[in-house]
């Protein structure tokens, strides 16, 4: 059984098709990267998974539970970090965490305290006093303090400094080692490339690529760029035999040469290039 | 796993009361203060008020439920006249509160926090509507208790506690009707439509339709379009339920109570399927 299974999911808002017949499957214990530009349909997909919104057609399940009908059960074992974090501004961080514990019996106050220390977050500050990054930390503590088998994170590093980002992924990798499944929606392609086992690109509500990172790495083309002594600059993708490439390059009188593997960013841009 | 947990619902209910305590405290203090002010001043103002009211056009007086200005000399009637004004304010508060319980959280984005937790929409609906009902109940006590205390102090011989309590009950019923209307608007309307403003608009339109029924005799049936006229405290005071002699017809109370329940049920069902905007 897949951890997350989406089948032929369509969501229409008025005249806009936010999700257009999408299907995907996330295996247990993997980190699954979900990428696409703003308005591509990422948040709509997440909202349907968490039953904030209802699908127009199709189905979605988390650990076999139907997202629309068994939403409350799903939230027992699913943690969520929203892209934009909004809490009650009049509350202190500790009050909010206590509120979350009151609503979720399997959450743990001791764990919350540990996580606040880990993320360098003061529990005595009011939500209204917190910066975007600190509000994100509250959201992370709130999501991670329960022992969840599925985690849905929407832009979890948005607003966090690089050190806290590293700490977050260290923790997520540990959770993954213990069998947790992480659905990571992100604009940060570097972190998706670095930490995800599989990746999915969504564009205009449709999935345009779903692949595991290993296959993607093998299939990566080379990006070759050089400048000749006569000043001619050239850049091209190369997918053929590498020895043929070096022979061809040796015939030229080069002053500079760069050969690198294409990154996830280039793959992403190849789908979105025409939108620029 | 229980689908409805009283403990979780109570947590949301208490938190909801706590985080909005300041604006509510201002309402409570204002209503208590104004009720004491008006009712304790009864012995001093009744003669002056009578003189002033007698010089006003009867149509204007009717607008505030003051057809018989001489009745102002009786504490119970005086309370009814003041309470008639309060009831419009209370109904405005009820419809605005009912409409905003979901829409405010949608606008502020905090509803996403609640939805992400291990709670059902039924629990959220129960807790939030419970908060509104508690607030309007407290608010109606904030007018009733000072009026009873003031009556015992300044007009102990004529004070009819039963009449004042029935006036509060009837106004509470009108508030429940408007709170349910608010729940319905908050569940139906998307967040870019101001449900509270629309609710207040409906209240005012209904009120003025009811007022027309008092101005034009042929349009007296218009009263049945205005809950604040159907459930008028003045009607209770003038009836045998109060200190008057006419019979009180409770049909309006029954019909509006049924409508309030129907609107609340529809609001609940719609809220179950409402998309987060």
């Amino acid at each position: 059984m897949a951890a997350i299974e989406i089948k032929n999911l369509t969501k229409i808002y008025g005249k806009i098709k936010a999700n257009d017949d999408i299907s995907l499957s996330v295996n247990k214990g993997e980190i699954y990267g979900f990428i696409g530009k703003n308005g591509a349909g990422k948040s709509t997909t997440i909202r349907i998974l968490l039953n904030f919104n209802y699908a127009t057609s199709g189905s979605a399940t988390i650990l076999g539970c139907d997202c629309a009908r068994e939403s409350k059960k799903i939230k027992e074992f699913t943690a969520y970090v929203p892209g934009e974090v909004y809490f009650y501004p009049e509350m202190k961080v500790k009050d909010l965490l206590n509120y979350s514990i009151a609503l979720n019996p399997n959450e743990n106050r001791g764990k919350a305290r540990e996580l606040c220390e880990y993320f360098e977050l003061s529990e005595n500050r009011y939500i209204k006093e917190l910066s975007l990054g600190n509000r994100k930390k509250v959201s992370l503590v709130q999501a991670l303090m329960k022992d969840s088998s599925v985690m849905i994170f929407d832009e979890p590093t948005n607003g966090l400094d690089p050190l806290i980002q590293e700490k977050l992924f260290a923790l997520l990798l540990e959770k993954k080692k213990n069998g947790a499944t992480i659905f990571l929606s992100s604009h940060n392609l570097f972190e998706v490339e670095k930490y995800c086992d599989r990746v999915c690109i969504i564009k205009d509500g449709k999935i345009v690529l779903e692949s595991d990172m290993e296959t993607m790495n093998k299939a990566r083309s080379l990006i070759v760029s050089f400048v000749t002594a006569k000043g001619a600059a050239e850049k091209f993708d190369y997918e053929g035999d590498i020895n043929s490439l070096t022979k061809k390059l040796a015939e030229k009188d080069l002053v500079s040469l760069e050969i690198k593997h294409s990154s996830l960013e280039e793959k992403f841009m190849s789908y979105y290039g025409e939108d620029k | 796993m229980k689908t409805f947990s009283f403990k979780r619902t109570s947590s949301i209910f208490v938190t909801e009361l706590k985080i909005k305590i300041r604006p509510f405290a201002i309402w409570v203090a204002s209503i208590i203060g104004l009720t004491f002010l008006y009712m304790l001043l009864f012995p001093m103002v009744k003669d002056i008020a009578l003189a002033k009211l007698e010089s006003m056009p009867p149509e204007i007086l009717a607008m505030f439920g003051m057809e018989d200005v001489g009745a102002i000399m009786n504490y119970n009637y005086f309370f009814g006249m003041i309470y008639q004004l309060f009831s419009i304010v209370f109904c405005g508060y009820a419809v605005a509160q009912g409409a905003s319980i979901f829409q405010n959280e949608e606008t502020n984005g905090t509803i996403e926090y609640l939805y992400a937790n291990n709670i059902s929409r039924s629990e959220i609906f129960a807790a939030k509507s419970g908060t509104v009902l508690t607030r309007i109940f407290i608010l109606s006590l904030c007018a009733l208790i000072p009026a009873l205390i003031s009556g015992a102090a300044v007009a102990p011989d004529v004070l009819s506690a039963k009449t004042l309590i029935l006036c509060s009950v009837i106004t509470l019923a009108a508030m429940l009707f408007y709170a349910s209307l608010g729940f319905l608007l908050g569940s139906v309307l998307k967040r870019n439509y101001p449900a509270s403003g629309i609710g207040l608009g409906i209240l005012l339109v209904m009120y003025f339709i009811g007022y027309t029924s008092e101005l034009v005799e042929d349009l007296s049936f218009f009263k049945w379009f205005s809950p604040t006229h159907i459930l008028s405290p003045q009607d209770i005071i003038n009836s045998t339920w109060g200190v008057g002699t006419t019979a009180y017809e409770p049909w309006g109370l029954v019909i509006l109570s049924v409508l309030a329940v129907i609107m609340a049920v529809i609001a609940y069902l719609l809220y179950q399927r409402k998309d987060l905007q």
Side-chain angles (χ1 to χ4, degrees), chain A residues 94-151:
Chain A
K94 64 179 175 189
D95 297 330
L96 186 94
L97 296 175
N98 287 336
Y99 187 30
S100 299
I101 289 163
L103 298 177
N104 303 278
N106 57 344
E107 287 184 1
N108 181 319
R109 190 71 187 90
K111 184 77 182 164
R113 212 164 285 131
E114 261 175 45
L115 285 163
C116 283
E117 277 175 33
Y118 183 77
F119 286 120
E120 300 158 35
L121 175 69
S122 166
E123 286 190 60
N124 288 313
R125 291 182 68 189
Y126 281 97
I127 299 289
K128 63 185 167 196
E129 296 170 351
L130 300 180
S131 63
L132 167 68
N134 279 325
R135 272 187 283 131
K136 199 69 162 197
K137 287 180 190 175
V138 178
S139 184
L140 289 168
V141 171
Q142 198 231 327
L144 293 165
M145 69 183 175
K146 70 176 174 184
D147 206 13
S148 308
S149 40
V150 176
M151 297 177 184

Side-chain angles (χ1 to χ4, degrees), chain A residues 193-212:
Chain A
E193 192 164 20
K194 190 172 174 188
Y195 298 109
C196 291
D197 302 296
R198 289 201 299 143
V199 67
C200 169
I201 299 177
I202 183 167
K203 184 188 176 189
D204 299 331
K206 289 180 181 171
I207 289 175
V208 290
L209 174 86
E210 191 186 25
S211 169
D212 61 83

